[in-house]
Amino acid sequence: MNIHEYQAKELLKSYGVPVPAGAVAFSYAQAANVAEDLGGERWVVKAQIHAGGRGKAGGVKLAGSVTEVRQFADQMLGSRLVTHQTGPDGSLVQRVLVEQARDIAAEYYLGFVIDRGSQRITVIASSEGGMDIEEVNKTHPECVFQETVDPAIGLRDFQCRKVASAIGLRGKLMPQAVKIMKAIYRCIRDKDALLAEINPLAVVDKDQLIALDAKISFDDNALYRQHQINGMRDFDEEDPKEVEASGHGLNYIALDGSIGCIVNGAGLAMATMDAITLHGGRPANFLDVGGGASPEKVTNACRIVLQDPSVKAILVNIFAGINRCDWIARGLIQAMESLHIKAPMVVRLAGTNVEEGRELLDSSGLSFITAQNLDDAAGKAVAVVKG
Ligand code: ADP
Ligand code: MG
């Protein structure tokens, strides 16, 4: 789960990371009020969407008067901001952050990620801040430094000093960098975050380090114990189908092909998508109904999968262990009838109560395309899509 920049900044501030004074606004009038309350002469108006690259796309504007703050907020709110991370349709801006503009002397990159190889939190830092770190890593790999943290002893001061000195932070900046790194590390550990990125970490007022941007992503599987983080969730930034699916205890993942997949279990989902691809097709999405799926759950699964207009056929692939094929079949029949499904539905059932399940489908009088095994099912689904 991702949160907005202003939320990440509030969180990091509570851990002792310096951030510019500012507040979120949902309307241009509120944005102007925030600027007046903050005082000063220059403000930055920043579109709050769950994507980076806003600066280059016009989503970060420097305002020299409260009138300008109001104008920029008015332009941004309700518009779709297209950045290199949003895709061509962009993201709808519904909140802006208004904060003090600071005079930047230098910009650095500071990131914390979980490195899958070492299975450890790794600090990534660069003297080339404000830019895309992936790009810097390609063009100037010598400017990117990494330090892996041993989870048993945590991030040590000497490691922070090593990272800070590698990117050229010296003198008064050094102890500040150490404090900031340790604060972010504590935040990540406490809040079950997967990634935290400060880009840029800037030097302002000659010798003050401050986080001018912040991005934090959290582990969805830990949200049940992270109530504060859960409360920051912005459903408008998520795929409505994924939100609806999670409400029904289903896992939905959107992809870009034409075959909707209803399966049980993530492993079977992968195998199903491989089989579709092998037959020359592409999955539009996959929906994992999990174990012990009731007929109602299966009906909901069909409805969610069909909300994607690019779905031309549905492939149901169930290998029932805890599940029961007769329940799955009942759910599919219910869905076919109540949702008036026009798209062809290829069904492969195996495992618990498979005979009852097949019998129900055969005697339903509905036009299910039944398949004997995964290969057969994938072949049939691709064939119907290709007409
Ligand atoms: P993004 O990464 O989405 O482009 P940032 O928050 O990093 O957005 O903003 C882009 C650039 O705008 C920063 O690299 C920085 O130079 C400038 N900037 C952002 N916030 C401020 C601020 N409060 N004061 C001055 N400049 C800022
Ligand atoms: Mg940034």
Side-chain angles (χ1 to χ4, degrees):
M1 185 194 110
N2 294 319
I3 58 174
H4 288 292
E5 174 196 2
Y6 77 92
Q7 296 166 321
K9 280 178 166 167
E10 278 166 16
L11 186 62
L12 289 172
K13 189 178 168 194
S14 72
Y15 278 84
V17 177
V19 298
V24 67
F26 294 82
S27 69
Y28 63 84
Q30 205 183 351
N33 285 342
V34 170
E36 263 162 15
D37 288 349
L38 287 171
E41 281 157 14
R42 293 185 320 132
W43 302 265
V44 184
V45 183
K46 309 179 79 175
Q48 299 296 289
I49 55 169
H50 286 184
R54 296 163 302 162
K56 280 191 194 126
V60 177
K61 290 264 165 75
L62 182 69
S65 66
V66 173
T67 310
E68 257 188 349
V69 169
R70 187 182 288 124
Q71 276 168 5
F72 290 140
D74 189 23
Q75 282 162 18
M76 284 180 201
L77 289 163
S79 73
R80 296 195 76 90
L81 184 63
V82 182
T83 81
H84 71 278
Q85 288 184 4
T86 58
D89 293 338
S91 286
L92 180 64
V93 181
Q94 292 178 299
R95 317 171 184 203
V96 292
L97 168 62
V98 180
E99 64 181 16
Q100 287 175 335
R102 306 298 299 259
D103 284 322
I104 305 170
E107 294 189 327
Y108 298 86
Y109 173 94
L110 178 61
F112 288 70
V113 291
I114 296 180
D115 174 46
R116 285 171 183 263
S118 60
Q119 301 180 351
R120 290 174 176 201
I121 293 175
T122 300
V123 185
I124 301 174
S126 174
S127 51
E128 306 304 298
M131 290 188 263
D132 209 342
I133 193 68
E134 285 84 4
E135 200 50 43
V136 178
N137 204 26
K138 260 187 238 151
T139 52
H140 296 285
E142 72 284 358
C143 296
V144 180
F145 296 88
Q146 293 191 21
E147 181 72 15
T148 303
V149 184
D150 183 333
I153 50 174
L155 180 64
R156 312 312 300 170
D157 285 23
F158 81 88
Q159 294 181 293
C160 300
R161 285 196 293 270
K162 203 161 110 188
V163 172
S165 119
I167 61 172
L169 293 170
R170 306 225 155 69
K172 282 186 182 169
L173 299 173
M174 176 69 81
Q176 295 176 52
V178 174
K179 191 173 154 245
I180 290 172
M181 284 183 223
K182 293 185 82 170
I184 300 171
Y185 182 75
R186 257 188 295 125
C187 175
I188 289 183
R189 292 298 306 262
D190 286 359
K191 304 296 179 192
D192 293 310
L194 297 174
L195 172 142
E197 210 176 37
I198 312 296
N199 189 23
L201 176 70
V203 178
V204 298
D205 301 337
K206 282 207 202 82
D207 55 8
Q208 297 297 311
L209 270 183
I210 186 168
L212 285 190
D213 189 10
K215 170 183 174 160
I216 311 183
S217 304
F218 301 89
D219 185 348
D220 290 340
N221 296 312
L223 289 179
Y224 74 93
R225 64 179 189 188
Q226 294 292 353
H227 300 292
Q228 183 197 6
I229 304 304
N230 221 351
M232 295 180 182
R233 196 159 166 188
D234 180 357
F235 289 103
D236 290 337
E237 291 283 337
E238 298 178 25
D239 184 327
K241 294 188 284 301
E242 287 182 22
V243 174
E244 190 189 346
S246 72
H248 294 298
L250 302 161
N251 270 314
Y252 174 90
I253 304 291
L255 299 161
D256 55 11
S258 57
I259 300 175
C261 304
I262 295 176
V263 296
N264 65 309
L268 194 61
M270 301 300 240
T272 307
M273 292 191 292
D274 281 351
I276 290 173
T277 311
L278 200 66
H279 281 274
R282 285 168 69 78
N285 50 45
F286 78 79
L287 196 146
D288 176 4
V289 296
S294 63
E296 288 68 33
K297 218 170 172 181
V298 175
T299 308
N300 283 326
C302 291
R303 202 190 47 248
I304 293 164
V305 163
L306 282 165
Q307 280 170 15
D308 179 348
S310 51
V311 169
K312 301 286 176 271
I314 300 178
L315 195 167
V316 182
N317 184 23
I318 301 290
F319 196 104
I322 304 168
N323 275 307
R324 293 172 42 173
C325 289
D326 54 329
W327 277 19
I328 302 282
R330 269 182 226 287
L332 294 175
I333 292 166
Q334 201 171 302
M336 272 282 209
E337 286 174 340
S338 62
L339 305 173
H340 311 292
I341 297 177
K342 301 267 183 323
M345 195 187 290
V346 180
V347 186
R348 180 264 180 147
L349 299 175
T352 310
N353 293 359
V354 64
E355 296 307 332
E356 290 91 324
R358 286 194 186 143
E359 172 58 29
L360 281 167
L361 294 183
D362 290 343
S363 59
S364 67
L366 298 165
S367 55
F368 291 107
I369 303 168
T370 50
Q372 290 309 311
N373 54 45
L374 171 54
D375 190 53
D376 184 29
K380 282 176 171 162
V382 174
V384 291
V385 165
K386 292 197 168 162

